[in-house]
Amino acid sequence: MKNQPPLWIRHASQLVTLAGSSAAPLRGEAMEQLQVIEDGSVWLEHGVIQLAGTDEEVAEAYRDRLDEAQAIDASGKLVTPGLVDPHTHHVYAGSREHEFNLRLQGATYMEIMNSGGGIHATTSATRAADRDTLFAESSRRLDQFLLHGVTTVEAKSGYGLTLEAELKQLEVAALLNERHPVDVVSTFMGAHAVPREYKEDPERFVDCVITEMVPEVARRKLAEFNDVFCERGVFTPEQSRRILEAGLEWGLLPKIHADEIEPYGGSELAASLGAVSADHLLKASDQGIRMMAEAGVIAVLLPGTAFFLLAESANGRKMIDAGVPVALSTDCNPGSSPTVSLPLIMNLGCLRMGMTPAEVLAATTINAAHEIGRGKQIGSIEPGKKADITIFDVPNYLALQYRYGVNHVHSVIKNGAVVVREGRLA
Ligand code: NIG
Ligand code: FE
C-alpha cells in the first residue's frame, strides 16, 4: 500500500459522503439529509481517505502533487462509501434450493426446520466440509459481495453447533478476513438452533453454549459479538438473555434475531440488555420499537428475507419515524436469503418498507458500520477513514434505486486499491 501512487477520484456527478456521523448512527430526519457534492472528488493515499470535496477544492489542496496521482474519472457517476453488510451467515457449505421449491408449494420455513431441514441441513453440510472447501465456497461469495459494491461484511457462526465446528467456522471467517479484500467482522452464534442431538434437552445445549462455547470463542478472540435466534421453538427470551449475558461477561456484545415470525419479546429484550442491535423485527411490537428508540438499539432490517420467505416486511418507515437507528442487510444465508446483493436489499427497503433512497444509503453505510462497531473507521467518506469507496454507473443516488434489478457497480476501491474495475474483479 505504501508504495502505491495516490488515487484521485474526479468529477463525480454526485459524491455522497455521509460525513459527520462517526460518533453515533443517524436517526430520524438526519437519515434523509445527505451531504451531496456535485463535481465531487476524493484523494486517497496510504489506504486512507485524505480529502473529499469538489474537484476544484481537491485540485487546489494538492496542486503541487497532481502529477503523482492515478486519476479515476467518475464523471456521470455516483460515488459513495463502500457498502457495509452488517448481518450475514455467509460462511457455510451446501445449498438448499429443494427447500425453496417446497416452500413455493406451501411448506413453511419452521416446518422445514422442525423436520430436520433448514438450519439443521446446513449444519450437517458445514460440519462435513473441510476448511479448504468452506473457505473456497465462502470466498466466492465474498467476491460476489465485492462485485455488488460491498467492502465490509459481518459473518456469523451457527452452522456448527458443536464447539469444534463453531470454532472451524469462525477460524475460516478470520482467514477470509486476512486473505480476501473484503473485511470480515465475526459474530458468534452458537445459539442459532438447538441441534438435533439435544432435541430432548434444549436446556443442556444452552448450558453448553454458555459454559463451553462462549468462553472458548472469547479466549481465542474469534468474535466480537454474540447473537441468538430468539423465536418460539428455537430459544426463549429467558434462554436468550442468559446466553447474551454470558457473552457480555466475556466481552462479546449482544445482538438478537428478534420477532421475525411472531412477536416474542426479542426487541424488548434487546432494549433491556442495551444490545447493539435487534435484527429482522417483522413482528416487533410498538412497545418494543419504543424501547429500542430509547435505548439506541439499532434495527437491522432484512427485507430480502421477508421477500424470499413470502412474508410482509418489517415496518422500516415506522421505526425511523420512531427514532430507531436503522441499518439494512442481506442476511446472506442458504435458507431464508441466498443473496449477496445489498443494492437489491436497498431497492426492497424503498419498495417494501417505505424508506427513501437517502435513508437506504445511510442504512447500508454509516449505520451499518456502527452496527459492527466500525463507525469510526468506515461507512463515510471523510479524512482519516479507510479508503473504501464504491462507484456506481448512475448519475445520482435516486437513480440507483429507480433503475432496479441491475448491478450498477462500476468500480470498487478497497484500502486504497482498485479491486473492481468496470464491473469485473481487478
Ligand atoms: O437470519 N433466522 C435464523 N437464521 C437465519 C436463517 C438461517 C438458515 O435458514 O439457514 C436468518 O434468517
Ligand atoms: Fe440472520
Side-chain angles (χ1 to χ4, degrees):
M1 214 94 355
K2 281 258 145 57
N3 310 321
Q4 271 177 0
L7 271 186
W8 184 19
I9 301 169
R10 305 196 60 187
H11 300 304
S13 67
Q14 283 192 344
L15 164 64
V16 184
T17 64
L18 280 300
S21 304
S22 297
L26 292 167
R27 302 190 190 205
E29 282 169 14
M31 283 186 75
E32 175 64 29
Q33 288 149 11
L34 300 182
Q35 186 196 80
V36 178
I37 300 172
E38 284 172 12
D39 196 26
S41 179
V42 193
W43 188 278
L44 311 170
E45 204 169 353
H46 311 306
V48 174
I49 295 165
Q50 305 293 336
L51 185 64
T54 63
D55 202 70
E56 212 179 309
E57 285 164 352
V58 175
E60 172 58 23
Y62 284 93
R63 64 171 180 270
D64 302 333
R65 299 187 49 212
L66 298 181
D67 292 349
E68 279 175 47
Q70 180 192 330
I72 296 178
D73 178 19
S75 45
K77 299 187 176 59
L78 166 70
V79 175
T80 72
L83 302 181
V84 178
D85 191 332
H87 176 145
T88 91
H89 310 252
H90 85 270
V91 180
Y92 65 84
S95 186
R96 283 159 42 200
E97 55 268 30
H98 58 287
E99 290 182 5
F100 172 57
N101 194 27
L102 289 177
R103 284 198 300 100
L104 292 175
Q105 294 167 59
T108 69
Y109 178 79
M110 283 314 239
E111 278 164 9
I112 292 170
M113 174 159 162
N114 291 333
S115 63
I119 293 173
H120 302 299
T122 300
T123 298
S124 304
T126 305
R127 283 178 181 174
D130 60 41
R131 279 160 203 265
D132 290 348
T133 309
L134 202 49
F135 181 91
E137 289 192 18
S138 309
S139 179
R140 270 198 293 277
R141 279 186 282 275
L142 286 184
D143 289 346
Q144 296 287 331
F145 269 113
L146 206 51
L147 287 165
H148 286 84
V150 177
T151 48
T152 303
V153 301
E154 185 251 28
K156 300 177 195 296
S157 69
Y159 291 127
L161 308 182
T162 61
L163 175 60
E164 195 195 347
E166 287 291 303
L167 293 177
K168 175 175 75 176
Q169 229 190 319
L170 289 168
E171 279 163 8
V172 168
L175 202 62
L176 286 163
N177 179 49
E178 216 178 282
R179 299 211 180 140
H180 197 281
V182 172
D183 285 327
V184 179
V185 174
S186 290
T187 295
F188 169 62
M189 196 173 179
H192 194 198
V194 177
R196 276 169 295 184
E197 56 277 21
Y198 285 89
K199 201 171 167 202
E200 303 309 321
D201 195 358
E203 277 298 317
R204 212 158 55 81
F205 182 66
V206 172
D207 289 341
C208 164
V209 171
I210 290 174
T211 60
E212 288 177 36
M213 295 189 195
V214 162
E216 195 55 27
V217 166
R219 256 183 236 118
R220 296 189 191 209
K221 297 193 188 341
L222 282 170
E224 296 175 41
F225 302 93
N226 184 22
D227 197 343
V228 302
F229 189 8
C230 179
E231 196 73 44
R232 189 178 303 282
V234 193
F235 296 96
T236 65
E238 293 70 32
Q239 292 169 330
S240 302
R241 175 184 284 279
R242 281 173 55 213
I243 291 164
L244 294 175
E245 283 177 344
L248 267 171
E249 279 177 34
W250 285 90
L252 301 177
L253 303 178
K255 301 186 182 191
I256 311 183
H257 280 62
D259 303 323
E260 178 182 358
I261 293 157
E262 56 178 281
Y264 198 46
S267 41
E268 291 87 345
L269 175 62
S272 82
L273 277 171
V276 176
S277 69
D279 306 36
H280 285 289
L281 302 172
L282 278 62
K283 301 290 164 63
S285 70
D286 286 349
Q287 159 160 307
I289 292 173
R290 237 186 346 263
M291 288 174 69
M292 284 176 60
E294 271 161 33
V297 176
I298 298 174
V300 178
L301 304 182
L302 313 162
T305 308
F307 179 61
F308 198 71
L309 293 183
L310 311 165
E312 188 136 343
S313 292
N315 195 336
R317 178 78 269 131
K318 188 171 170 180
M319 294 183 205
I320 292 175
D321 292 344
V324 178
V326 168
L328 287 177
S329 159
T330 60
D331 194 18
C332 173
N333 76 74
S336 65
S337 188
T339 185
V340 293
S341 178
L342 196 51
L344 169 66
I345 302 305
M346 296 161 88
N347 297 148
L348 293 173
C350 292
L351 293 169
R352 312 246 312 181
M353 295 201 307
M355 292 172 68
T356 66
E359 288 167 345
V360 299
L361 203 46
T364 49
T365 54
I366 190 68
N367 280 11
H370 280 292
E371 202 278 340
I372 53 170
R374 298 292 190 278
K376 295 200 166 39
Q377 291 83 38
I378 56 173
S380 60
I381 299 179
E382 49 195 320
K385 283 209 165 173
K386 240 187 209 225
D388 292 359
I389 289 183
T390 298
I391 304 177
F392 296 94
D393 197 2
V394 289
N396 59 66
Y397 72 87
L398 295 180
L400 184 61
Q401 302 315 319
Y402 166 70
R403 299 182 191 171
Y404 85 102
V406 174
N407 186 0
H408 294 290
V409 172
H410 180 271
S411 323
V412 180
I413 295 156
K414 179 69 197 158
N415 288 322
V418 179
V419 287
V420 173
R421 189 177 280 125
E422 300 205 5
R424 290 167 190 274
L425 291 175

